[in-house]
Amino acid sequence: MENNLPKTYDPKTFEDRIYQEWEKSGEFAPKCDPDRKPFSIVMPPPNITGQLHMGHALDQSLQDVLVRYKRMQGFDTLWVPGTDHASIATEVKVVEKIRKEEGKTKEELGREEFLKRAWAWKKQYGGRINEQIRKLGSSCDWSRERFTMDEGCSRAVNEKFVNLYNKGLIYRGKRMINWCPVCGSALSDIEVEHVDKQGKYWYFRYPAKDGGEGITVATSRPETMFGDTAIAVNPEDERYKDMVGKTVLLPIVGREIPVIADPYPDPEKGTGAVKITPAHDPNDFEVGQRHGLENLECIDAEAKMINAGKYNGMDRYACRKAWVKDLEEGGYLVKTEDMTIPTGECYRCHSVVEPMLSEQWFVSMKPLAEPALKIVKTGELKFVPDRFETIYTHWLEEIRDWCISRQLWWGHRIPAYYCEDCGEMVVAAEMPKTCPKCGGAH
């Protein structure tokens, strides 16, 4: 009777032991047999920011089904496990932990001490995640485990960066980016979450320089008016044909702003006239490029006002409140409307992202997108269901250059070196001993 199966399933009594036996047996490792067809999966590495969740469990299960099926079919099978350093997500977690436990900012702690805390976090949570993967029974080869900041991966990242830079596919330039004022870092487009929030459209009158009525413009971000360098109207909009080429004044401030004709404004939206703030809006930036407009910045990296007169140093939203009040008292506010405003938020701290002009590193996406589009058009790549082809195609046709800079201490550092003597920049997989331009050793 004592050999009967227990009535209640208790995994703790045998699952760990069985998995240890599997791992020790080497059965999860490929045989490296040239006569067998290979099958390999690199595990999408979980971020070291906590614990696995149900989404990971599903993802792991699907991969394990494929790997075990191929192994039983006789393929020489490899499933490579690993974890991801997750630069922004992990830095946010570590910064918060330091604040709670030590009452310090990362700047007060210093880079070296901060990185010690980050590696300790990786040891704790990366190790926990690997144990959870084992608990799921995932049949991966732990002898090949990788971490995205281990020596081999870091060397590969540097070499690939230099390779793409030398091909002209990576460049440094001043372009419009997404900036998180709380994380203090640039974000790529996919790291911005788009949410709809209830807000307002304010309609303000920009008086004409010659004393005429001027133009009324609707905006959801009045604090950016200090960066306005033009008012744009559609060239087909009959209402404004006589205004094109004339000048209006920024309310209260009195700075002169030209009225330009551009296809960007939609005559059916708002008043049909759009204020152009090239340094704080990606669409406005493109308009500014076409018309040679000045890029006038009015919000800094901490989301505080600059080039805004008496509002300098104010938080952007505090400035909005005070500025709207002053405009209303000055007789420039025509009306307000309650509207649903599409808003970009940081995917980690959920603060509102500030579009701004900044010098960063970018990947040139057009030459990379073209071959990816070609294989769809030729039928080499097929989508199931086929409606996803439209989404894929639209995404690649509209894709912007990818901002890869992150103003963080945790993560891969861009392998660009700057000579202290002459300012020369050198991109290399390893730090140069001397400057190729002036021979300096600093």
Side-chain angles (χ1 to χ4, degrees), residues 193-242:
E193 294 179 346
H194 296 278
V195 295
D196 289 337
K197 292 189 173 184
Q198 290 307 115
K200 291 183 182 294
Y201 267 179
W202 288 270
Y203 288 73
F204 298 112
R205 182 177 61 86
Y206 288 62
K209 181 187 176 184
D210 59 12
E213 180 65 20
I215 292 180
T216 297
V217 172
T219 179
S220 62
R221 304 183 69 214
E223 66 276 11
T224 64
M225 289 170 67
F226 297 101
D228 290 355
T229 53
I231 300 294
V233 296
N234 193 292
E236 303 301 318
D237 195 332
E238 295 290 338
R239 294 172 294 176
Y240 299 114
K241 283 203 170 181
D242 292 340

Side-chain angles (χ1 to χ4, degrees), residues 114-364:
F114 174 81
L115 290 177
K116 285 180 182 177
R117 309 296 198 280
W119 280 107
W121 177 281
K122 183 266 175 185
K123 183 177 180 181
Q124 178 182 355
Y125 289 99
R128 180 185 297 179
I129 286 169
N130 287 341
E131 287 308 309
Q132 288 177 320
I133 292 172
R134 286 178 167 92
K135 289 282 188 184
L136 291 169
S138 299
S139 60
C140 41
D141 182 3
W142 289 102
S143 70
R144 288 174 166 82
E145 179 194 345
R146 304 308 295 265
F147 174 57
T148 52
M149 276 181 62
D150 65 25
E151 184 180 352
C153 289
S154 294
R155 185 171 62 250
V157 167
N158 281 356
E159 290 176 358
K160 192 63 180 176
F161 186 101
V162 174
N163 177 266
L164 292 172
Y165 176 81
N166 290 336
K167 289 180 178 179
L169 292 171
I170 285 181
Y171 66 92
R172 189 178 184 224
K174 195 165 187 179
R175 296 178 61 87
M176 186 61 57
I177 61 153
N178 307 295
W179 181 264
C180 175
V182 174
C183 294
S185 179
L187 305 174
S188 70
D189 289 347
I190 62 170
E191 290 167 332
V192 177
E193 294 179 346
H194 296 278
V195 295
D196 289 337
K197 292 189 173 184
Q198 290 307 115
K200 291 183 182 294
Y201 267 179
W202 288 270
Y203 288 73
F204 298 112
R205 182 177 61 86
Y206 288 62
K209 181 187 176 184
D210 59 12
E213 180 65 20
I215 292 180
T216 297
V217 172
T219 179
S220 62
R221 304 183 69 214
E223 66 276 11
T224 64
M225 289 170 67
F226 297 101
D228 290 355
T229 53
I231 300 294
V233 296
N234 193 292
E236 303 301 318
D237 195 332
E238 295 290 338
R239 294 172 294 176
Y240 299 114
K241 283 203 170 181
D242 292 340
M243 288 293 297
V244 174
K246 293 187 177 181
T247 301
V248 295
L249 303 176
L250 182 63
I252 298 179
V253 177
R255 178 162 52 83
E256 297 182 8
I257 297 173
V259 179
I260 62 174
D262 190 273
Y264 169 59
D266 183 349
E268 301 299 320
K269 288 186 178 180
T271 64
V274 178
K275 71 184 210 65
I276 302 299
T277 317
H280 292 283
D281 183 276
N283 293 316
D284 292 4
F285 177 74
E286 298 297 331
V287 175
Q289 293 289 96
R290 290 195 289 270
H291 294 270
L293 300 176
E294 180 185 3
N295 297 315
L296 184 57
E297 298 172 47
C298 62
I299 301 175
D300 69 9
E302 295 180 351
K304 293 181 178 179
M305 302 304 298
I306 55 174
N307 299 317
K310 71 175 187 179
Y311 309 96
N312 281 346
M314 293 179 69
D315 173 79
R316 54 185 167 173
Y317 296 127
C319 170
R320 176 187 292 183
K321 186 176 180 180
W323 175 233
V324 169
K325 182 175 182 291
D326 288 348
L327 288 167
E328 183 176 11
E329 291 176 353
Y332 297 101
L333 178 61
V334 177
K335 66 174 181 176
T336 61
E337 286 181 352
D338 291 328
M339 296 285 288
T340 300
I341 310 295
T343 306
E345 292 184 346
C346 173
Y347 81 117
R348 277 298 160 190
C349 70
H350 302 292
S351 59
V352 176
V353 167
E354 187 62 46
M356 63 171 53
L357 202 58
S358 179
E359 190 168 44
Q360 304 286 345
W361 288 89
F362 297 87
V363 176
S364 182

Side-chain angles (χ1 to χ4, degrees), residues 31 33 35-39 67-77:
K31 309 306 177 191
D33 184 347
D35 295 327
R36 298 170 70 178
K37 290 181 68 175
F39 179 81
V67 167
R68 290 177 182 272
Y69 178 60
K70 289 295 183 179
R71 193 178 286 125
M72 288 189 291
Q73 284 185 313
F75 284 77
D76 204 9
T77 306

Side-chain angles (χ1 to χ4, degrees), residues 38-51:
F39 179 81
S40 179
I41 293 178
V42 176
M43 181 184 295
N47 293 350
I48 55 162
T49 50
Q51 305 185 64

